[in-house]
Amino acid sequence: MLIEKVLQGNDHAFRLLVEKYRNDVFRTVFAVLRDQKEAEDAAQEVFIKIYTSLPQYEYQGFKTWMTRIAVNHAIDVKRKQVRRKEEIIETIEEQVVGTPRDDVEKTIIETDRRRLVRKRLGELPENYRDVIYGFYIEEKSYQQMAKEQNVQVKTIETKLYRARNWMKKNWKEDDFS
């Protein structure tokens, strides 16, 4: 019998067994997976399982035993595919939109931070407030601010330098956390 020859280590006998049942195993896994490539891969894995499980085979309907292995393996593959798709979808959703709770927290934190920055800008000496607001909030260039204030670019650079030093001396980083 073919199975006994395989159990005795006859590789040719196993090749014959694969040849004999290849289509049955493929049809079984394809019925579950519904994908040609996945079914081909799964069928190969089924034959590996059959080969390693053969010592436990109890000679009670080989085709039934083999089909049960094929169905169980195909179901496992299908579950893994579904889990993988769910994980990918979750990852994409988190990257794109974040969780609703994250969005609410981010919005609250951002609103608080803006309010704090506005309050802090109000504390700046008036001669520094315009350059800080213009450069960091309105994102204007030195040239643009110099033109608007009717001063030299060097004057804007100096004001920004002094304003930054004033902020470093008077504000702590923790004040903005």
Side-chain angles (χ1 to χ4, degrees):
M1 186 171 188
L2 212 51
I3 295 167
E4 288 160 354
K5 287 181 180 175
V6 174
L7 287 170
Q8 292 167 2
N10 185 328
D11 290 340
H12 181 68
F14 185 69
R15 263 184 257 139
L16 291 174
L17 189 101
V18 169
E19 202 58 40
K20 182 175 181 181
Y21 294 106
R22 181 177 55 205
N23 291 335
D24 294 322
V25 168
F26 177 80
R27 276 195 300 275
T28 302
V29 294
F30 185 80
V32 176
L33 299 175
R34 297 279 181 213
D35 179 274
Q36 176 86 25
K37 178 78 176 97
E38 289 290 332
E40 288 170 3
D41 292 346
Q44 287 179 2
E45 292 164 359
V46 166
F47 280 110
I48 292 169
K49 284 187 175 194
I50 289 170
Y51 185 80
T52 56
S53 302
L54 216 47
Q56 286 82 41
Y57 174 61
E58 296 174 355
Y59 299 94
Q60 295 178 348
F62 181 76
K63 194 170 179 184
T64 304
W65 178 78
M66 177 194 66
T67 302
R68 191 167 49 245
I69 291 173
V71 168
N72 288 337
H73 183 70
I75 290 170
D76 288 346
V77 169
K78 189 76 168 175
R79 281 187 191 131
K80 285 178 188 166
Q81 287 174 341
V82 169
R83 263 196 311 270
R84 214 169 327 157
K85 283 178 188 171
E86 288 171 355
E87 288 169 3
I88 290 169
I89 289 168
E90 278 179 23
T91 303
I92 290 170
E93 284 175 348
E94 286 172 9
Q95 288 172 350
V96 174
V97 290
T99 62
R101 184 171 174 225
D102 287 347
D103 289 346
V104 171
E105 284 179 28
K106 284 177 189 171
T107 304
I108 291 170
I109 289 169
E110 199 56 41
T111 303
D112 283 350
R113 187 168 282 138
R114 278 196 205 107
R115 191 178 312 117
L116 181 61
V117 167
R118 268 190 243 109
K119 178 182 169 232
R120 289 302 197 153
L121 280 173
E123 295 171 4
L124 270 171
E126 197 172 326
N127 55 329
Y128 299 150
R129 195 175 310 135
D130 292 342
V131 289
I132 293 293
Y133 191 82
F135 188 72
Y136 289 106
I137 307 298
E138 294 177 329
E139 298 179 355
K140 294 179 181 178
S141 68
Y142 286 11
Q143 291 79 10
Q144 202 176 350
M145 290 190 296
K147 188 176 178 184
E148 288 173 359
Q149 294 180 25
N150 200 23
V151 295
Q152 297 293 315
V153 172
K154 189 72 178 157
T155 305
I156 297 297
E157 289 174 4
T158 304
K159 279 186 173 183
L160 263 174
Y161 175 78
R162 290 180 179 162
R164 289 182 190 122
N165 282 338
W166 186 93
M167 289 187 301
K168 283 179 191 170
K169 193 161 56 173
N170 294 282
W171 295 344
K172 294 184 209 100
E173 196 174 316
D174 294 347
D175 294 344
F176 291 93
S177 324

